[in-house]
Structure formats: structure tokens, C-alpha cells
Amino acid sequence: MYLALLVIFLQCSEICTQERVFTFNAVHIKVQPSNKVKNGAPMSIICRADISKSTNFNLQHNITIFKDGKLVLMSVSGKGEARYEVPMARSSHTGDYHCAVEADGKKRSSDSLHVWVTGMTKPILIAERKEVFEGEVVKLRCELPEEVPPLHFIFRKMKMNSTPKEKHQFESQRNFSVIEFPVEEGDNILQFDCFGKRNVKFEFETSEPSNRTLITVKEPFIKPTLRIKPSSNITEGKEIQFECSTVVAKMHDIEIILLRNKTILSSVRDQTTLKYSAVATLEDSGEYLCKVEEGKASKTTRRNVVVAELFPKPILTASMNKLDENKELTLSCSIKDFQNASFSILRRNSNGDILLRKSRNFTTRANVNDTGSYICKAEVNRIVKESKPVMIQVYAPVSMPNISVPNGLPEVVLGRPLKLTCCLIMGTPPITFTFYKGNKAKKEVVTNNTHAVFLDEDIKQNDKGQYKCSARNHHSSGMKTSKILNITVIVPIRNISLGSIPYGEVEDGSETAFLCSVKEGSWPILFRIFRKTDRDVLLFERNEYADRVMWQKKEMSRQDTGMYYCIASNRANVSAKSHPIAINVILASWQKGVITAFVLIPIAGVVILAVWWFWCKKKNAKGPSMEMSRSALATNSTSEKLSRQHNDGDYYSGSGYIEDGENHMKSADENKGPDLESAEVEYTEVEVSTLDPRRDSVENRHSRIQGHPDAT
């Protein structure tokens, strides 16, 4: 019975399971009325699941709708469909939508759907103030309600008969922006508006313009008036007067400034009028500017003034611009087509011009210290004019130049540059120096100093090294040449080697010669010979006017064994080191003989003693061995006879024994039976006691024969 109920239960469970089988075919998402929705229109996002079921049963669906990855709707439905309703679509609803449906542990998502809400809300513009003064600022706030940042704001300033001025502002975190516009001179009635932009799929969408805001501009002061007296026919020497005035609404930090060609002539503060006067000169011609400022407000008035020339600038002439010292110099000052003037000739100086003479002409005998810049001045009716400066150069002759090496030694190392200096005791710059190598000019230097430097980088081993220099300036004495400087070219040490006689092995106490030589190098050369140890030991040192040196060590000892090397150097200050050579000090021949004698003689004595001892021992051991053999044989023979008689129970006479013995020995010798061979072996083993086996064998045989009864 229970078995039947279990079967029924399992079948019912299988039937129930089969009845709740379902699968997702697809999940769809769409927007109504279309993917492009006009700003302000209603919009619906619909998510629907397409499901196949085994039977018609109720299935709960968890439906979620996302915009740009953010959840906007979550719904539980038994119909497999959900709607996200937007009554008034705004640009913030633009984005990518998708949905997901989950039922009984199974989940399926839809494809992504892009929705674009076209158009933007109209921005709202608010001005902080409706009336402002020139120089102040207009503060504006533009807002795009219901729009989501990031947003671009564009503000526009408009006035009559002019192009609007724009200012752009980007806002990444808010849907409004605040900006300021300065109120400039000439602004009276201003209008402002704004609009917004946003980026959708790499395209900009623009809103309609905001409301226009009207701003009234007040003047803090009127445009200034500039009066000039006399207004025309202004000539040098006459007085010229300027007056700059304005009318202000309120006296607060008002400043009036008078400028000529951007140079400030005069200024007043907290006053409405500025006055300025001066004696007119030709330099007073130009543009005059009257400027009134208060805070950021500024207004200007411009006037041009032309001053007629009373007389031209004087001209200074010199008899000579470049001359030798002690020559006569004449300076003359003149004005073209004008004679009635007061003249003065001056010399320019950093601390102030030095008056030389109040006259048209000036004559002097030139000195080197008279070199400098000269001018002349002319005065008419309090108008003073200055000529262009004239440069006068007075030259002292150059002295005989001296050419030398800066370090004092007239030598140069091969491969290094040679630096030479050409100096003068006197001579007025600029001076032209020329350097010669041999008779060939190598370089020409023009300098404002009394010395010049020459660098010769082309030094060769075979150069004769004859250098000289010459100097000249604008003095009429001409060029002067130095004495010849002979330069020694020092060749650095190259290819150094060390040798010895004898080479390699040297007998103790013998003499050894070391030879250190170089293939290249200027003399004198400092030679040094070292032996390598923990701290290298200097053995020999000598300065030689030669390319080699020999050092003889009289007596070599075992302590002189080691590695030797030499170092050579000269005035090039570059040392060269040879490869090391090995010297091994060995015993002398007589030392070897003495050692041989002291070693071999004791060894020979020991050998002789050993031989003598061995011979004596052998001689003493030979006699006792033979006697023992005889007694042993006799004893064995007697014992054998007694044993046989006792065993046989017979009595034999002595002659019978001998006969038996003879017969027995004969048969034994003839037949070589095993009994005899066995007896001989046992006898031999007893008698082996000497060191020489061959000699022992002979002696044993002889003993055996001697011990035998028939031996006779």
C-alpha cells in the first residue's frame, strides 16, 4: 500500500514539474511614441518578456528598467510587461535604456535602446542690478531649469549699433552659471541675454535664447575738455598752457592725468580741473591726452600739438676723429643759416658733461686721455639744443710686443695644445695682433686689450717651434714685431720594456744586469726600477739623457726572487710602465756540491753498515743450522727403528738392519716412491731458516746427505 502511494506521489511530482516548464525567448524594450522625443512631450519606456510555457500557469516577473546603468524602475508583474512613464520628457531623459526580467531563478536582459529628447528648456536670465555706473560691472545669472549638467552657457552683451560681445562658461556640476560684464566708457543702454548648449552623441544641441534684460548706465563724470593756449602758431621758446577739466556726479576718487606721447606730464586727485604750462620746444610736439579716472571708469580727450622750430640743432665737426697723440685737434660748432646763438663745447662724462669752452671753436693738443665723446650746445631765447655726439679716438703707439707661454716654460707636450700670449706695455686699443708660426701667419685677433691669446692645436714632433707675434693700431707708427720664441716639443714616453741578463733563473750570489729602455720620449728621462711586493720597493732611480739605462745588482740572494718592472717619465708628466719580468734566484753550483756531499756521504755510510750487518748475521746463522740437521736426522732414524721393532715384535741384528736399510734406500731411490718424497719434504720444511732460498735448498740437501747413515 505504501509503495503504491509513493509511486503515485512521484508521478504527481513529475506531472507538476512538467507543467511548470518555461523558457525565455527574448526580452524587448521600446519607447513610445519614438526614439526621438520632443522636449516636454510624454514618453513611455516599455519592457516586455517573450516566454514559452509548457502549460498555462501563473508566473511572477521581476522587471527592472535602467538608464545609463542606473535603475529608474522596478516592477513585479504577472503579465511579463512593465512601463516607465515620463509625463514631460526633458533633455535629462536622453540616454541609453535597457531592462532585465527575472522569473523563477531565470533571468534575461534586453538590448540597449538610445532615447533622444530633442530640444532644451528655455533659460532664465536674472541681472543683479538694473542701473549701474560706468566702470562698474553687471552681474548676470543664467539658469537652465530641469536640465542636467554638464552644460555650456553663452552670455551676450548688446548695445546700439555694435556687434554683441559674448562670454562662454562651462558648468560641469550645476545647471546655472554666473558671470560679470564690465561697463565701459560710452555704454548707456545695454541689453543682455543667454542660451545654453549640451553635448549629445558628439553633437551640440542649443536652447532658444533667454529673456532679454535691460540695464541703464549712468555717467559718474562727463568726458573731459582739453584746452591749449595758444591754440595755433606755437613756436619754440614761447610758453604753452594746458587745461583739462570735467564735471562729476559725485566727488569720489576722481583723478585727472595729462600725458604727452604716453608720458605723464601732470596729474591731480579729487579736483575737476588740471593746469600745466611749459616753454615750448620742438620735443613738445605730439599727441596730448587728458584722462579722467574713477575706479574702473575712464574717459579721455586727445589733442595734437605742433611746435614750429626756432632754429635747427647745431652740428659739431672735428678736424680728425682718429689721430696720434700730441697731434692738434680742433672742434667747431655751427648752425645752418643761423648765427645769433650762444655756443658751448662739452665732453661727455658719466658724472655729468664737462664744459671745455663757451665758444664756437675749441683747439687742443690731443692726449690719450682725450679719447671720448664730444657735443656742442646752442641757446636762443631760452631754447637750448644739443648736437649729435662726435667720437674722438687718440692713439698712443704700440710698444714692442712680447710673446710667451703662460706657465713660463717654452715647451709643449706632443698631442697637447700650445697656449701663447702676446702682451704690450703700451698701445691704444683696438689693437690688431697677428701670430706667426715660422714665417706663416696663423691667426689675427682684434681686441680692446693690450694682450691677446693664441692656441696652436696642430703640434707635430718635427716642428721647429719658432713663434712670434706682431701688433698694430691706428697710430701712424705702424706694426711692431716681437722676438722669436723657440718652443721645445716634448715627446711623451712610449713603448717601455725591461730585460735582465741572465734572464729568468739567476744563481745565488751572482751578478744580474737590468736594462730599462724606451722607443720614444724626450730627454732627460727619469728611470725607476721596482720589485713587486705587498708594497712595491724602489730599487733604482736615475735621470738619464738617453733612451735606456742599465742597473747592475752585484749579489743576488734568495730574497731577490720576484717580479720586476720599470717606470719611465719625462717633462710630459706622463709615466709609462713596463710589463713585469720574473726573476728566480736558484742555488749556486758549489752550494749544490756541498749539499750533495753532506747528504750522500751519510747515506753511503748507512748503506755500508747495513750490508756489513747483513753479511755478519748470515755467516753466524749458517753453522748451527747444519749441526741441528745432523742431530735431528740421527734421532729420527733411531726412533724409527725402535718403533718398527716394537710394532713387529721381531728381533733383528744390526747387520740385518743395515741390509734392510740398504735395500730400502735402493728401492726408494729407484722407484722414487711417495714415502721417500714425503720424508724429504718434511725434512726440508724443518730446515728452512736462512734468508737466501737457493742457498738454503743446497744446504738442506747437503745436510740431509750428511745426516744420512750412508752418507760416507
Side-chain angles (χ1 to χ4, degrees):
M1 176 179 177
Y2 290 107
L3 181 60
L5 290 174
L6 179 61
V7 172
I8 293 170
F9 175 75
L10 292 175
Q11 288 180 353
C12 291
S13 300
E14 185 177 355
I15 292 171
C16 292
T17 304
Q18 290 176 356
E19 287 179 353
R20 293 187 59 85
V21 173
F22 73 96
T23 182
F24 282 102
N25 296 320
V27 174
H28 303 284
I29 187 170
K30 64 179 181 177
V31 60
Q32 289 181 351
S34 66
N35 288 16
K36 280 191 176 182
V37 182
K38 191 174 181 180
N39 198 311
M43 177 182 74
S44 298
I45 306 293
I46 304 169
C47 180
R48 185 177 63 82
D50 182 6
I51 299 176
S52 295
K53 301 179 182 179
S54 59
T55 59
N56 189 12
F57 59 90
N58 291 329
L59 186 64
Q60 293 294 323
H61 307 79
N62 293 323
I63 303 174
T64 50
I65 299 177
F66 300 87
K67 173 186 173 290
D68 296 330
K70 294 181 180 179
L71 180 67
V72 295
L73 177 70
M74 179 181 289
S75 174
V76 178
S77 172
K79 297 180 180 180
E81 182 177 301
R83 285 175 173 265
Y84 172 51
E85 299 288 350
V86 180
M88 294 180 64
R90 298 299 182 192
S91 59
S92 60
H93 294 111
T94 298
D96 293 322
Y97 290 82
H98 77 278
C99 68
V101 180
E102 182 179 2
D104 202 12
K106 295 183 179 181
K107 188 174 182 179
R108 178 69 65 88
S109 297
S110 69
D111 294 332
S112 180
L113 173 68
H114 182 70
V115 177
W116 186 359
V117 179
T118 61
M120 298 176 67
T121 57
K122 184 177 180 179
I124 300 172
L125 180 66
I126 301 173
E128 188 179 55
R129 293 162 57 191
K130 296 295 183 181
E131 290 184 350
V132 293
F133 283 99
E134 285 183 6
E136 294 181 340
V137 295
V138 177
K139 191 172 183 180
L140 303 171
R141 183 180 189 276
C142 184
E143 182 179 356
L144 285 166
E146 302 181 14
E147 297 294 342
V148 177
L151 297 167
H152 294 263
F153 291 88
I154 297 91
F155 295 82
R156 294 189 294 185
K157 173 186 175 183
M158 296 165 285
K159 62 181 180 178
M160 295 290 292
N161 302 322
S162 64
T163 303
K165 293 183 178 180
E166 292 186 352
K167 282 192 174 184
H168 295 251
Q169 190 79 13
F170 175 72
E171 298 289 348
S172 61
Q173 302 293 332
R174 57 188 186 178
N175 65 346
F176 68 91
S177 182
V178 178
I179 206 166
E180 293 181 347
F181 274 95
V183 179
E184 301 169 348
E185 180 184 356
D187 291 346
N188 43 27
I189 298 176
L190 302 175
Q191 287 185 334
F192 296 90
D193 69 356
C194 69
F195 59 92
K197 287 185 178 182
R198 65 188 178 102
N199 194 347
V200 181
K201 291 290 184 181
F202 305 105
E203 294 183 10
F204 273 106
E205 189 172 26
T206 306
S207 72
E208 60 179 306
S210 69
N211 55 297
R212 287 196 176 185
T213 300
L214 186 67
I215 303 295
T216 303
V217 180
K218 296 180 180 181
E219 287 185 316
F221 48 84
I222 66 172
K223 186 175 182 179
T225 301
L226 179 59
R227 297 183 181 90
I228 302 174
K229 294 180 181 180
S231 59
S232 61
N233 298 327
I234 303 172
T235 307
E236 286 183 311
K238 292 184 178 180
E239 186 178 26
I240 183 170
Q241 297 178 350
F242 298 88
E243 184 179 298
C244 181
S245 61
T246 184
V247 178
V248 299
K250 56 179 180 178
M251 187 65 69
H252 180 68
D253 290 338
I254 293 290
E255 187 175 17
I256 302 175
I257 303 171
L258 180 65
L259 302 94
R260 182 189 69 232
N261 300 330
K262 298 182 180 180
T263 301
I264 296 176
L265 301 177
S266 181
S267 66
V268 294
R269 183 179 290 274
D270 291 333
Q271 297 181 23
T272 59
T273 303
L274 178 148
K275 293 182 179 181
Y276 174 78
S277 63
V279 176
T281 63
L282 198 63
E283 287 76 17
D284 291 330
S285 297
E287 183 184 64
Y288 286 78
L289 179 69
C290 177
K291 190 173 187 179
V292 182
E293 295 180 339
E294 181 187 359
K296 295 183 179 180
S298 175
K299 293 185 179 184
T300 59
T301 299
R302 302 171 187 271
R303 290 281 300 273
N304 283 320
V305 174
V306 178
V307 179
E309 187 177 52
L310 179 62
F311 63 94
K313 286 184 177 182
I315 299 173
L316 179 64
T317 57
S319 58
M320 297 176 66
N321 293 93
K322 297 179 180 179
L323 68 159
D324 296 348
E325 64 177 349
N326 298 322
K327 290 287 184 71
E328 189 176 89
L329 172 65
T330 300
L331 299 174
S332 300
C333 188
S334 63
I335 300 175
K336 185 179 180 181
D337 301 330
F338 199 91
Q339 300 296 326
N340 299 324
S342 299
F343 295 96
S344 57
I345 298 176
L346 305 93
R347 179 181 173 185
R348 283 281 173 86
N349 189 276
S350 58
N351 297 324
D353 295 344
I354 300 172
L355 177 63
L356 300 177
R357 180 173 294 178
K358 284 188 176 183
S359 174
R360 184 187 297 269
N361 299 313
F362 172 71
T363 302
T364 184
R365 190 161 294 278
N367 186 274
V368 174
N369 296 328
D370 293 331
T371 296
S373 179
Y374 293 80
I375 61 169
C376 77
K377 292 182 180 181
E379 182 179 354
V380 178
N381 294 339
R382 297 184 299 171
I383 299 300
V384 178
K385 292 188 178 182
E386 185 179 292
S387 70
K388 292 181 179 180
V390 173
M391 187 65 193
I392 302 299
Q393 183 73 55
V394 181
Y395 290 94
V398 295
S399 60
M400 181 177 177
N402 177 46
I403 187 169
S404 62
V405 180
N407 61 11
L409 297 175
E411 59 188 26
V412 62
V413 178
L414 182 65
R416 298 179 187 174
L418 172 64
K419 185 178 181 180
L420 298 173
T421 303
C422 188
C423 296
L424 300 175
I425 297 176
M426 61 176 291
T428 304
I431 301 173
T432 301
F433 292 90
T434 305
F435 288 88
Y436 298 86
K437 186 176 183 179
N439 294 321
K440 185 177 179 181
K442 298 292 289 184
K443 188 177 181 181
E444 188 173 271
V445 179
V446 180
T447 178
N448 287 324
N449 294 319
T450 56
H451 68 275
V453 177
F454 169 63
L455 197 66
D456 186 5
E457 297 180 328
D458 187 23
I459 302 296
K460 298 179 180 177
Q461 187 170 351
N462 298 325
D463 283 348
K464 294 182 179 179
Q466 294 183 341
Y467 293 86
K468 63 182 179 179
C469 70
S470 63
R472 71 177 188 276
N473 61 2
H474 292 284
H475 195 275
S476 58
S477 60
M479 180 184 294
K480 293 185 180 179
T481 305
S482 70
K483 294 180 180 180
I484 293 176
L485 175 66
N486 292 315
I487 298 294
T488 302
V489 179
I490 299 175
V491 181
I493 302 296
R494 293 194 183 100
N495 299 329
I496 182 172
S497 61
L498 177 65
S500 67
I501 301 174
Y503 184 79
E505 290 187 347
V506 180
E507 290 188 355
D508 189 7
S510 65
E511 181 179 344
T512 302
F514 293 89
L515 177 64
C516 182
S517 62
V518 298
K519 287 189 177 180
E520 292 185 19
S522 297
W523 301 349
I525 300 174
L526 177 62
F527 293 93
R528 290 177 293 172
I529 299 177
F530 295 84
R531 185 178 77 246
K532 278 190 174 184
T533 60
D534 294 338
R535 298 170 65 182
D536 292 0
V537 179
L538 176 64
L539 304 175
F540 172 78
E541 182 178 24
R542 183 181 296 170
N543 211 17
E544 286 285 346
Y545 283 85
D547 60 358
R548 63 193 62 201
V549 69
M550 180 174 285
W551 172 57
Q552 291 181 331
K553 184 169 176 57
K554 297 300 183 181
E555 292 185 4
M556 297 292 286
S557 63
R558 295 298 298 273
Q559 288 76 18
D560 294 325
T561 296
M563 304 295 290
Y564 291 76
Y565 66 91
C566 71
I567 294 177
S569 62
N570 60 6
R571 295 197 305 279
N573 293 326
V574 177
S575 298
K577 182 179 178 181
S578 70
H579 290 294
I581 62 172
I583 298 295
N584 184 22
V585 180
I586 61 177
L587 295 174
S589 300
W590 67 271
Q591 291 174 327
K592 294 178 182 179
V594 170
I595 292 172
T596 302
F598 276 98
V599 173
L600 295 182
I601 289 174
I603 293 174
V606 170
V607 171
I608 293 171
L609 289 174
V611 171
W612 178 79
W613 176 81
F614 178 75
W615 182 79
C616 292
K617 183 178 180 181
K618 186 168 183 70
K619 184 176 181 182
N620 293 333
K622 186 176 180 180
S625 177
M626 293 179 65
E627 291 176 359
M628 288 176 65
S629 298
R630 291 192 189 101
S631 60
L633 181 60
T635 304
N636 290 338
S637 177
T638 305
S639 300
E640 185 178 358
K641 289 181 178 182
L642 292 174
S643 176
R644 287 176 180 175
Q645 290 175 2
H646 178 72
N647 292 334
D648 295 338
D650 294 329
Y651 179 78
Y652 294 97
S653 63
S655 60
Y657 169 74
I658 293 172
E659 290 176 359
D660 292 338
E662 290 176 355
N663 294 331
H664 177 73
M665 292 294 293
K666 288 179 181 179
S667 62
D669 290 336
E670 292 174 358
N671 298 326
K672 296 180 181 180
D675 294 336
L676 182 59
E677 290 177 356
S678 175
E680 289 178 353
V681 171
E682 289 177 359
Y683 183 76
T684 301
E685 288 177 352
V686 171
E687 292 300 321
V688 174
S689 61
T690 62
L691 295 176
D692 189 352
R694 294 180 180 177
R695 187 171 182 179
D696 290 348
S697 176
V698 174
E699 288 177 354
N700 289 338
R701 289 173 183 173
H702 180 69
S703 299
R704 185 172 64 246
I705 294 171
Q706 287 180 347
H708 196 275
D710 296 334
T712 58

